[in-house]
Every structure is written in structure tokens, then in C-alpha cells.
Amino acid sequence: MADSKQEVIEIIHSWSAPRSLSTSLMYSFSQRDDIEVLDEPLYGTFLRITDAERPYREDLLSKMECDGNKVVNDIIYGPGKKKYRYCKHIAKQRVPGLPNDLLQRGKHFILIQNPLNILSSFEKVVPPSFLELGLGELVSIYSELCAQGKPPPVIDAADLQENPEDTLRGLCQDLDIPFQDAMLRWEAGPKPFDGMWAPWWYKSVHNSTHFAPRRKYPRPFPFSFYDVLEQSLPFYNLLKRNVRQTSSLLKPLPVPDLPVPENAKLLAWVGDEILPRESAKVSVFDSVVQGGDAVWEGLRVYNGKIFKLEEHLDRMFDSAKALAFINVPTRDEIKEAIFRTLNANGMFDNTHIRLTLTRGKKVTSGMSPAFNRYGCTLIVLAEWKPPVYDNESGIELVTATTRRNSPNNLDSKIHHNNLLNNILAKVEGNNANADDAIMLDKDGYVSETNATNIFLVKKGRVLTPHADYCLPGITRATVMELVEKENFVLVERRISLSEFHTADEVWTTGTMGELSPVVKIDGRVIGDGKVGPVTRRLQNAYKVLTENAGVPIPTNSEK
């Protein structure tokens, strides 16, 4: 019977960086009646191979098994008397040359701790460094286990401190072992299974009897370790995305579904580099964060070409000049960033690009552009995105009470990122369950919607508002050219809201939605409530134009 039990022993591997509550978690598991624990069985092998300095180095090397093969085969996976064996591992101790069985067998999980908290106490025994923290190796372990088809559970030390029972229950569920209440408490003092390094590292945990809540306010950070923090934090954040639950000051909402799931993994240009979606961020000192101080353009890609690229860049440079930006990237530099981003994503059709140019990062927070001394920040965000409106059956609009900005206040010809005027109108549209909201100018005439320009048809004539209170859109100009090319009469003048209510046809234009029919405004049915013949004809003409026009996206295949 004893041999039978030894054959079915299951190994549970805990992988972490040092100072991550890994010893507390080992004590927690040791309270179970079905488990035995091993405290860092790979430590001797690590010291023998790396020559890492420790005050107890020689004593440890003389007393621990240092042959990696023997440690893995005879100690970690050796016979035991309990159903489970819990092995506490520090990630950096997984040195080259260890048997593949170490990761291929057993149950594994990852324990993480924010390096901001680790570094505050690390130097008590050894000077901290990126290699000593071992977060890079921890990510490697996670990646290798995922490649085997066994993505390990990831728990954060903060969750153990804030909600130990739920975190332990969740971990046990992920490991497919029963939770035991005994895991929540242990006796103070040293344990017989402690490693011989315990006197140097375990003073705090020896004084503990449970997972105590973390300090409300952190210790002052030792800024001599700032570089190590910058090096390590991205690896912690990468693993943190996979945590079962998160304890934080601001409780996170459930992860929402994306409109286009393929956009969960994309690459964006920020500054002067291409970054994965979750890493594509600007500084908190950037002007776009400090005051919405940026300009932007929306672009579409059709059949390997960027439609109206040059016209959009013209407007971006005009907007940047109007806002007195300095140190602006050149036209060629911006185009190259766009081309590289599209190539990296493999996006050559059915793609929308949000092109943003901020005034750049500031040397200190504040409104003054005098603080912007780093140059502009360029952002190229390309997404798989079909037209955002129903261009077959049509959309519904309501009229917002929010009036469009006057040139007396902020000229709408500047395509800026401070979109609160539009957003307030969009809120009204959302509250009315409409697709968008019409915005009037200060005199009560229609200017545009919160996101698009607007046209109407009455008795065969096409009308659109003057671009005095609205953005003179690139798509608007394109459609105006198509109207004349298709031999319709085009009139640009002030238009009242009632004229839109009584129009034969209405449509909106914009890069995001192309040419979108409007079938209802403020509850009034437009025409017969269906897409009109003029609208359909212009949609077809626009489609033909986008299929053939545009700036080709260069690729490596072009020689």
C-alpha cells in the first residue's frame, strides 16, 4: 500500500520572485493534512552554477544537494508519504541544464508581487538587481507552460493580503485540489522544513500567523533602485494581466467583449516604436493627458491603399500649425510610421487608422506649451474596423441641446483632440438610443452631427451646411465632388433643422462610417423611411472611388 501511495503523489510547484509572500504561502499549504513541503530545493544548484554571493553560501553548498538532476528526480519527484508535495521555487533558481521533467510534470502556478513592494525590503540580504528579482525568468516559465498547453494560474500577493480566503479557494480550484480552512492560519515561529537561509530572510514571516492586510500606505521607495523598478515592472504587468482576481484601490470592471475580437492582439505606434496593445501608452506628462492638447485624423485602408492620405496629412499639419506645435515630425516620418504599423499588423484592407499627434511630453505638469520640450508624440492606432454605421438600412439621429463650438471660441476647422463639445452631444444621442446627435450652431442652424458631416436631398438638389461651425471633412469634400460628378445640383448654405426633418433624403459622411443613410431624425421619418436613390447612387460612386484611389502601402515584396 505504501508503494501505491508513493506512485500517485502529486507535485505542486509554486514559482515566484523573492519577497513575494512565497514563504507565507508555503506555510499556508503546510497546514493541510494531505501535503508535505519543500523549501527552495533548487537553491543549492543555483548557487553552484551561478556563483551568486550569499552570507550562508558555503554552508548551504556543503549541506544541500546541488546536482540538478538528482534534485529534480530524487527530491522533487521522489517518493513521499502524503498525497501532495508543495515545492516553493524562486524563478531565478531554474538554471540551465535541469531536466525537462521539472516543468513537464506536476501542477504549476505563478505568484507575483509588484516590484515596487519587493524592492523596499530586498536589500536587507543582497543588493537588488533585475537578475536577482528574476521576473524575466518568471515570464519565461509562464510562457513555457503555456506553450505546453498548460497555462498556469497566476495569483498576486496583494490578493492574498486583501482577501486570502477567496484567493486561496480560487487557487485550489485552479489546481484541482480541495480547499482546507487550515490554510488560513499557522503558528508563529520557525518551521522544521525552513531552508537554512531562514535566519536571513524569514524574520517577518516567523512573526506572522496569517496573511495580514498590507499597509494602507507604502514605505518610501528607495530611489537608488529606480532603474531596477523600470526594468522589472513591465514583466510584472505582463503576468498581472493573467491574474484570476485583482486587489486594487480602484476595483476593476469585468473585461468587456471587443466589437472586433481580432483587435485584442494588435500593434500600435507610440512615439518612435511599435508596441503591443496593452503596452501602447503615453506618459502621464503628455499633453494629450494634461489637456487634450493634440490633433488627429481618421484614415481608411482599402485594397492595399490608404484613401485620401495626403489630404488628411495636409489637415493634420494645418491643425498642428494652428495650435503652434513645434518639433513636429516630417510628412515622410509620419507616413513611414503609418506604413510600418500597417505592415507589422498585416493590415491592408478593412482597416481604420486613428492618427494622433500630441504636443508631446512636458517636463512638469501644467498647461503651458513652454513645458513641452521633448517634441511631439506620434500615435498610429490601426484596427480591423468595418464602417461603424448601418449603411444598408440607415441610421437614426436626434438633435442635441449642446451647440457646436463657434469660431469665436474654438474653431472647428482645427481637428483637435479636445472633443468634449462633441462628446456631450453624443451622450444625448446615446441617452435617446439614437446612432448620433445633430448639433446646431449658435443661431440654431444645423452644423453637423457629433461625429460626421451631414447632407440632405430636396427635390433633386443636394444641400449641406457651410463649414463655418463644423469640421470641413475630407469625406465631405469627396462626396461634394461626387455629387457634381453625378450631375446633381449642389448647394452649400445655412440649413435649418426643419429642412432636415422634411428632406427627401439625408445622409452623413465621415471616414469611420463612410456615407451613411439617415432614415429618421427626432422621430420624423425621412422620405419613405428607406435609403433614397440619390444616397444609393452616391454610395456606389464612393465605393468605386475607394476601390481604385489611394496611396499604396509599400511592403518588403516591392523591389
Side-chain angles (χ1 to χ4, degrees):
M1 291 296 293
D3 291 339
S4 175
K5 288 183 179 179
Q6 291 173 1
E7 290 176 3
V8 297
I9 188 169
E10 292 187 73
I11 311 302
I12 298 173
H13 299 273
S14 164
W15 297 97
S16 69
R19 316 302 286 173
S20 299
L21 296 188
S22 57
T23 305
S24 296
L25 190 56
M26 178 178 68
Y27 286 4
S28 169
F29 271 84
S30 74
Q31 302 307 298
R32 298 175 61 98
D33 58 15
D34 57 0
I35 206 162
E36 58 188 56
V37 300
L38 289 178
D39 190 8
E40 300 182 38
L42 295 168
Y43 207 159
T45 308
F46 166 74
L47 287 184
R48 179 176 64 84
I49 290 180
T50 64
D51 292 330
E53 291 296 327
R54 296 292 186 273
Y56 42 81
R57 174 186 171 84
E58 297 306 321
D59 195 20
L60 188 151
L61 289 172
S62 67
K63 294 177 179 178
M64 279 192 79
E65 177 59 67
C66 298
D67 184 313
N69 287 301
K70 291 181 179 179
V71 172
V72 174
N73 297 322
D74 301 338
I75 299 177
I76 294 175
Y77 289 113
K81 298 178 180 179
K82 298 287 185 77
K83 183 175 182 180
Y84 303 106
R85 175 178 294 138
Y86 181 95
C87 295
K88 169 194 162 191
H89 300 299
I90 302 300
K92 65 190 173 192
Q93 295 173 5
R94 192 187 69 130
V95 293
L98 293 174
N100 293 333
D101 274 0
L102 180 61
L103 285 190
Q104 292 175 352
R105 294 171 58 189
K107 303 172 185 282
H108 298 258
F109 73 91
I110 306 289
L111 170 65
I112 59 173
Q113 167 89 299
N114 192 323
L116 190 69
N117 301 322
I118 295 175
L119 290 167
S120 296
S121 63
F122 194 90
E123 66 173 335
K124 293 177 181 178
V125 180
V126 294
S129 68
F130 176 75
L131 293 177
E132 281 288 0
L133 263 63
L135 283 166
E137 182 61 25
L138 199 57
V139 170
S140 295
I141 292 168
Y142 178 83
S143 299
E144 289 180 39
L145 289 168
C146 288
Q148 295 175 23
K150 302 185 299 183
V154 181
I155 63 171
D156 196 313
D159 292 322
L160 281 172
Q161 293 175 296
E162 296 299 319
N163 199 339
E165 182 170 349
D166 283 355
T167 304
L168 289 171
R169 283 185 180 276
L171 177 60
C172 288
Q173 181 180 337
D174 289 337
L175 295 173
D176 195 24
I177 65 173
F179 170 76
Q180 293 185 6
D181 289 330
M183 299 174 70
L184 295 173
R185 300 192 70 83
W186 54 86
E187 292 185 3
K191 308 293 183 285
F193 49 80
D194 284 345
M196 60 169 296
W197 48 89
W200 285 268
W201 293 99
Y202 293 180
K203 181 179 179 181
S204 294
V205 72
H206 283 167
N207 291 327
S208 71
T209 59
H210 60 283
F211 293 105
R214 56 182 170 174
R215 295 165 173 257
K216 183 176 182 181
Y217 301 110
R219 296 184 180 93
F221 182 75
F223 280 88
S224 57
F225 305 147
Y226 190 83
D227 289 346
V228 180
L229 176 65
E230 281 198 312
Q231 295 160 8
S232 302
L233 201 55
F235 294 91
Y236 165 76
N237 287 331
L238 191 153
L239 291 168
K240 185 177 174 67
R241 294 177 205 153
N242 301 284
V243 169
R244 180 187 178 95
Q245 64 183 59
T246 302
S247 291
S248 61
L249 183 62
L250 304 177
K251 298 301 180 185
L253 295 173
V255 177
D257 294 330
L258 299 181
V260 181
E262 290 79 5
N263 287 327
K265 295 182 179 179
L266 56 75
L267 301 169
W269 183 284
V270 180
D272 61 356
E273 61 181 336
I274 292 176
L275 297 165
R277 176 180 177 127
E278 295 303 319
S279 301
K281 301 171 184 177
V282 297
S283 168
V284 295
F285 287 96
D286 197 285
S287 285
V288 74
V289 178
Q290 297 271 324
D293 189 3
V295 297
W296 70 281
E297 292 294 323
L299 304 161
R300 270 207 175 276
V301 177
Y302 302 91
N303 301 320
K305 298 184 289 292
I306 305 174
F307 189 61
K308 298 290 181 179
L309 173 61
E310 301 297 347
E311 290 85 346
H312 280 286
L313 291 180
D314 286 344
R315 187 170 65 183
M316 171 170 272
F317 282 109
D318 285 347
S319 296
K321 186 174 184 180
L323 293 178
F325 282 16
I326 59 173
N327 299 315
V328 176
T330 67
R331 194 182 195 90
D332 286 343
E333 288 170 339
I334 293 177
K335 290 168 76 171
E336 189 65 21
I338 295 171
F339 295 150
R340 291 188 184 186
T341 304
L342 293 172
N343 272 274
N345 283 291
M347 293 178 173
F348 301 102
D349 194 20
N350 200 31
T351 299
H352 180 270
I353 304 167
R354 177 85 173 206
L355 180 66
T356 304
L357 186 69
T358 84
R359 196 183 296 271
K361 192 169 66 172
K362 294 177 178 289
V363 294
T364 187
S365 62
M367 180 178 63
S368 175
F371 296 145
N372 293 86
R373 302 176 192 170
Y374 295 95
C376 293
T377 301
L378 178 66
I379 303 169
V380 184
L381 174 58
E383 296 179 272
W384 301 109
K385 185 173 290 189
V388 296
Y389 302 114
D390 184 350
N391 290 348
E392 292 302 316
S393 301
I395 64 175
E396 297 184 14
L397 304 177
V398 294
T399 303
T401 60
T402 303
R403 297 299 176 99
R404 194 67 176 96
N405 283 333
S406 163
N408 287 326
N409 308 113
L410 182 58
D411 195 342
S412 296
K413 295 179 182 62
I414 302 173
H415 205 198
H416 56 82
N417 278 58
N418 201 320
L419 297 174
L420 287 177
N421 181 229
N422 308 72
I423 291 169
L424 288 172
K426 181 61 175 174
V427 169
E428 295 186 59
N430 288 348
N431 290 340
N433 294 316
D435 294 285
D436 268 334
I438 290 175
M439 301 183 73
L440 308 179
D441 65 23
K442 68 178 181 66
D443 295 320
Y445 292 97
V446 172
S447 61
E448 59 180 346
T449 78
N450 55 272
T452 56
N453 295 120
I454 191 166
F455 292 74
L456 69 79
V457 178
K458 188 69 174 181
K459 296 182 179 180
R461 297 199 312 164
V462 178
L463 291 80
T464 192
H466 284 298
D468 293 333
Y469 287 80
C470 70
L471 177 76
I474 306 299
T475 309
R476 173 183 181 270
T478 302
V479 171
M480 290 171 73
E481 292 173 3
L482 290 175
V483 167
E484 295 181 328
K485 186 177 179 181
E486 295 293 321
N487 296 316
F488 293 111
V489 175
L490 176 67
V491 179
E492 190 178 7
R493 65 166 172 81
R494 282 179 140 186
I495 307 174
S496 66
L497 182 59
S498 64
E499 290 181 274
F500 276 94
H501 287 161
T502 58
D504 298 327
E505 300 178 41
V506 176
W507 68 77
T508 64
T509 60
T511 301
M512 188 86 80
E514 301 176 336
L515 199 154
S516 304
V518 178
V519 296
K520 187 179 287 187
I521 298 176
D522 297 326
R524 281 86 160 177
V525 174
I526 304 302
D528 61 2
K530 298 178 182 179
V531 181
V534 178
T535 306
R536 191 66 78 195
R537 184 168 161 185
L538 290 169
Q539 280 183 323
N540 292 334
Y542 187 83
K543 184 175 185 295
V544 170
L545 185 62
T546 59
E547 288 175 348
N548 296 285
V551 175
I553 303 165
T555 64
N556 287 331
S557 62
E558 298 175 4
K559 300 294 184 182

